[in-house]
Amino acid sequence: MKLTLAIAVSLLATSVHGVADHLWYRYSLPNITDWYNEIKVHPDMEPTSTYFMSNGFGNGYFGIQPNAPNKTVLFSIWDADDGTKVTNQYCGPKSICSTFGGEGTGLHVNYNFNWTAGVTYAGLIKTKSVVPGYTDFSGYFMHENKEWYHMATYRRKQPTPWLTGLYSFVENPSSVTINITRRTNFGNQWVRNATGHSEELTVAGLDHTSPLVASDRYGAGVDKTSFYLFINGPSNDIPKNTTLVRQATHQEPDWSMQGKTGGKTTKKSTKKTGHKTTKKSKKTTIKKSSKAGHESHRKSTIRSSHHSKVVKKSHKKHEEPAQHHSDKHHPGKHPQKKHEKPAKHH
């Protein structure tokens, strides 16, 4: 009896999982140092065990999670490929900064904030070379009242500060409640480079983890000036490798973060804007993880081309090669270079 039960539990663990889908943004601007994205989670579509990731890039990501007992904002940076550890340069007064481990290591920060579904928030990643051969990554979160919070700044061994491979995703890391739809909108995406030129990102390709099973549900679409993604729930939407085009807002964010966003109307996506210089903060002690939470970190080196079906005609833009984060619950998944196990919070 015990043996039969053990076999049944084992089969269930390998067959029940949740799919994750991604938007890979296309752009032509080189040497990107600033990456802005807005996020609005749909009401009643934010069960626990969901990661709504808005600002993804080659060496880290940023997003929000409906964890229990605290909803949280998350920002993570992976250690360098040669094993050099990321170091903490600043940890905000309301932030919990700690290391993470698993199939990859690095530093992350949790900001326990009771965000509300149906409300638009924003994430901003800024990079800067301060020490030769290293890059500082700063994560900022914009509240409903347009006030910004500097969550943390992490220093990674990286010779150039350019942000590449920009993407967003929705994921069910613990593969539970797969009958409940998880859905969010991502909108008004903008990037800026080292010379102060900016570009609005209006084109993205849809992709998802693989292999899929019959119970997997995923999809994406366009709501005027924003993209939406969903996973789980009753039905699929559109197929993998589809190109989506949203309407442009021409509302460039206030890169200086002076308490507002979308205050600048631009006709061209190469308008120069000014940088704000922030004061250097004292280093803070990194805390080690101690309390379990529902969180999943993904990074891999799997690359695939987006020869996508075009939904709307658009200008040709460069799309970074996809770097998929395969769900660890998927049997026969592609090999990953790095993967962070569910995090432990303070």
Side-chain angles (χ1 to χ4, degrees), residues 46-109:
E46 76 283 16
T48 56
S49 183
T50 308
Y51 188 10
F52 301 104
M53 196 285 293
S54 55
N55 301 66
F57 49 97
N59 303 308
Y61 51 39
F62 179 105
I64 60 178
Q65 296 179 319
N67 292 343
N70 299 311
K71 289 185 175 180
T72 188
V73 185
L74 176 70
F75 171 48
S76 305
I77 298 293
W78 279 269
D79 291 333
D81 293 338
D82 66 0
T84 302
K85 298 295 183 182
V86 173
T87 59
N88 186 26
Q89 304 302 305
Y90 172 80
C91 184
K94 298 180 181 180
S95 298
I96 301 171
C97 298
S98 59
T99 59
F100 64 79
E103 296 175 21
T105 58
L107 291 179
H108 64 183
V109 52

Side-chain angles (χ1 to χ4, degrees), residues 140-314:
Y140 300 85
F141 175 73
M142 190 192 76
H143 297 82
E144 180 181 3
N145 62 2
K146 311 303 181 186
E147 290 186 358
W148 287 94
Y149 174 60
H150 184 185
M151 293 175 59
T153 294
Y154 293 142
R155 181 167 295 170
R156 183 179 191 272
K157 185 180 180 181
Q158 181 174 316
T160 58
W162 319 137
L163 294 166
T164 60
L166 308 184
Y167 70 112
S168 300
F169 67 70
V170 177
E171 179 186 48
N172 178 355
S174 298
S175 305
V176 297
T177 58
I178 61 174
N179 60 313
I180 301 177
T181 300
R182 294 153 164 83
R183 176 168 169 163
T184 189
N185 278 46
F186 299 108
N188 200 32
Q189 295 84 3
W190 284 81
V191 291
R192 188 173 68 155
N193 67 8
T195 60
H197 291 84
S198 58
E199 179 181 352
E200 184 174 7
L201 311 184
T202 59
V203 182
L206 171 67
D207 202 355
H208 58 66
T209 50
S210 60
L212 300 178
V213 298
S215 62
D216 283 331
R217 299 288 183 265
Y218 72 96
V222 174
D223 285 337
K224 296 182 179 179
T225 60
S226 66
F227 303 104
Y228 68 83
L229 285 178
F230 76 83
I231 57 172
N232 302 147
S235 62
N236 290 329
D237 192 347
I238 60 176
K240 177 181 177 181
N241 295 334
T242 298
T243 298
L244 303 171
V245 183
R246 68 169 178 84
Q247 297 177 18
T249 66
H250 304 292
Q251 296 293 309
E252 186 172 354
D254 181 2
W255 299 107
S256 65
M257 297 178 289
Q258 295 297 316
K260 63 180 181 178
T261 184
K264 299 178 181 179
T265 301
T266 60
K267 294 183 179 180
K268 296 182 180 180
S269 60
T270 56
K271 181 179 178 180
K272 290 188 177 182
T273 58
H275 288 271
K276 177 184 177 182
T277 302
T278 57
K279 294 181 180 180
K280 186 176 181 181
S281 303
K282 295 181 180 180
K283 294 184 180 180
T284 56
T285 303
I286 300 172
K287 300 178 181 179
K288 290 188 177 180
S289 303
S290 61
K291 186 177 180 182
H294 298 286
E295 175 183 343
S296 175
H297 292 262
R298 315 289 185 195
K299 183 186 178 186
S300 75
T301 55
I302 300 171
R303 296 175 181 268
S304 66
S305 60
H306 286 278
H307 298 292
S308 306
K309 176 183 176 182
V310 176
V311 175
K312 295 183 180 180
K313 187 176 181 180
S314 63

